Amino acid sequence: MSNKYQCDRCGEKAVYSRRYSGQRFCSGHFREYVERKVEETIKSSKLVKRGSRIGVALSGGKDSLTVLYILKGLAEDLDLTIHAISVDEGIEDYREEGLKAAEELCLELNVPWHVVSFKDAFDKTLDDMKQRGERGPCTYCGVFRRRLLNKKANELELDLLVTGHNLDDEVQSILMNYLRGDVERLARLGRGLRNEGLVRRLKPLREIPEREIALYAVLSDFDVSFDECPYALEGFRTKVRDFVNDLEQDHPGIKFSILRGYERMLPSLDVGSATIRECNSCGESTPNETCKVCSLLSDLDQSLK
Amino acid sequence: MEIIVKNRKEKKVNIEDSSSIDDLLKKLGINRETVLTSRNGVISLEEEVLEEGDIVEIIPAISGG
């Protein structure tokens, strides 16, 4: 077997080539590249200090498993305390697989694992909500998941919440907000502006393409399933995702251009300032009279009548 | 030449000699951004040239995180 597909650095068999730069990596150097990129992103955020208490939102998919694994690798040097938090929306089959993978990795890495469930918190699973509610399932899922993660993070007195959002996720969000004309959200996306009571977020994988995370997960032997959420196809995000991937195929590197262009645009985006109040139902911070969680919950209850 | 493609199920695919995995993906209408590929059990580069009887597995790379 010829060795004509070689790693640029060591001559071992290459498993990955990056189209827009022509670089080739063997398994070892590829993983090293990803780990160093994650470390750089963390350092440049300036959010992680010695002794930081960090929560990792762990869905059990390839991204969150990867970010937990790499973060844990940095934990000793930086004296970090790491907790994993999984949200169980109650999506039949799909979520069970993720939780299994999450539990397994936490055991292996000796990371405390916390599970919070829709059923316990709201008395309904996402499957229930999808049946009873008028909004798409992704709407309920995103809003409620964020609330549950934040609550748990506050309970555990964490300084930061790490999520596995990758370059593809970021680019999709940028485009979705732009296409919808939601300039405010576009501005908030980049600045990580947070209301009081919301734990600061960090996305260490945000400059790494999704495909590279998938490769990292495969090469690291994570017991990860590549199934899609059964509700994913219904979302606007999927359309945008397919569009961006089509572009990238013919114009390699365009995902990065979108991210970089957005970052340069950010200082010019006027966020405006919303007065933060307390939700008239639950007391959590919100720019509105009633917070999003409570307004969605009341919609759901009403549609039962 | 004939190769075997595993993508949820297994099927035999006829493809021109000296085709690369990239050519195969184009023929199957699969966007290379959305998959990883292995050739005879080993993760491969898309530019690798295939040989008769190769087994190519197509692994979805996009999924919930």
Side-chain angles (χ1 to χ4, degrees), chain B residues 7-21:
Chain B
N7 182 8
R8 285 177 206 279
K9 31 182 191 148
E10 213 175 282
K11 61 178 181 182
K12 294 200 168 90
V13 171
N14 241 304
I15 193 164
E16 272 180 35
D17 287 355
S18 304
S19 293
S20 65
I21 294 184

Side-chain angles (χ1 to χ4, degrees), chain A residues 13 19 59 63-64 211 245, chain B residues 31-32 35 46 48-49 65:
Chain A
K13 182 183 192 298
R19 278 176 81 208
S59 67
D63 304 293
S64 56
R211 194 165 164 258
N245 279 327
Chain B
N31 184 336
R32 61 181 279 172
V35 298
E46 278 71 29
E48 282 187 38
V49 174

Side-chain angles (χ1 to χ4, degrees), chain A residues 285-301:
Chain A
S285 312
T286 172
N288 306 312
E289 276 186 28
T290 314
C291 76
K292 196 79 180 168
V293 171
C294 290
S295 68
L296 285 178
L297 282 175
S298 82
D299 282 346
L300 281 171
D301 285 335

Side-chain angles (χ1 to χ4, degrees), chain B residues 1-63:
Chain B
M1 60 176 171
E2 195 178 79
I3 58 167
I4 297 172
V5 175
K6 285 159 83 162
N7 182 8
R8 285 177 206 279
K9 31 182 191 148
E10 213 175 282
K11 61 178 181 182
K12 294 200 168 90
V13 171
N14 241 304
I15 193 164
E16 272 180 35
D17 287 355
S18 304
S19 293
S20 65
I21 294 184
D22 225 349
D23 296 326
L24 173 65
L25 291 176
K26 283 201 184 89
K27 182 180 168 96
L28 296 174
I30 296 175
N31 184 336
R32 61 181 279 172
E33 287 304 307
T34 64
V35 298
L36 299 171
T37 55
S38 79
R39 182 181 162 219
N40 301 323
V42 181
I43 296 281
S44 57
L45 305 180
E46 278 71 29
E47 50 255 52
E48 282 187 38
V49 174
L50 294 166
E51 293 171 16
E52 174 86 31
D54 273 348
I55 301 176
V56 176
E57 190 174 350
I58 298 177
I59 306 159
I62 56 181
S63 61

Side-chain angles (χ1 to χ4, degrees), chain A residues 15-195:
Chain A
V15 297
Y16 183 69
S17 69
R18 191 169 284 142
R19 278 176 81 208
Y20 54 84
S21 66
Q23 289 170 286
R24 287 179 176 176
F25 300 84
C26 67
S27 173
H29 283 116
F30 175 75
R31 297 182 74 223
E32 196 183 280
Y33 161 80
V34 172
E35 287 158 10
R36 246 182 312 125
K37 186 77 190 170
V38 170
E39 213 180 323
E40 270 169 36
T41 304
I42 290 175
K43 288 209 165 94
S44 66
S45 77
K46 298 198 178 22
L47 293 174
V48 176
K49 308 170 174 60
R50 292 199 70 81
S52 285
R53 294 174 59 78
I54 303 183
V56 176
L58 193 66
S59 67
K62 67 186 188 312
D63 304 293
S64 56
L65 293 174
T66 295
V67 82
L68 175 64
Y69 182 84
I70 298 179
L71 192 62
K72 182 69 181 171
L74 301 170
E76 210 185 291
D77 280 349
L78 296 173
D79 192 26
L80 305 172
T81 305
I82 301 184
H83 287 259
I85 309 170
S86 297
V87 178
D88 181 4
E89 312 93 340
I91 303 173
E92 217 180 312
D93 292 330
Y94 175 69
R95 187 43 71 209
E96 284 155 44
E97 290 245 13
L99 289 176
K100 241 193 324 161
E103 181 174 24
E104 215 179 277
L105 189 63
C106 286
L107 277 172
E108 194 186 301
L109 298 178
N110 200 19
V111 168
W113 185 51
H114 313 265
V115 182
V116 288
S117 88
F118 273 32
K119 186 77 186 174
D120 288 341
F122 308 116
D123 208 26
K124 302 175 190 57
T125 64
L126 187 66
D127 294 338
D128 295 333
M129 292 174 186
K130 144 97 198 215
Q131 280 196 10
R132 297 165 195 204
E134 288 169 7
R135 315 285 289 263
C138 301
T139 303
Y140 298 113
C141 190
V143 169
F144 294 146
R145 241 184 331 156
R146 263 187 287 280
R147 169 60 59 86
L148 290 183
L149 281 171
N150 197 64
K151 254 186 106 180
K152 194 48 141 182
N154 276 320
E155 252 174 60
L156 295 170
E157 294 179 332
L158 302 174
D159 303 312
L160 268 185
L161 194 56
V162 158
T163 58
H165 290 94
N166 55 51
L167 175 66
D168 290 52
D169 296 321
E170 286 298 271
V171 167
Q172 287 158 25
S173 295
I174 291 165
L175 284 180
M176 283 168 72
N177 288 325
Y178 179 74
L179 291 170
R180 284 170 167 157
D182 196 341
V183 180
E184 242 193 40
R185 275 189 92 167
L186 200 54
R188 280 206 314 262
L189 183 64
R191 289 198 177 97
L193 287 176
R194 286 296 163 219
N195 302 328

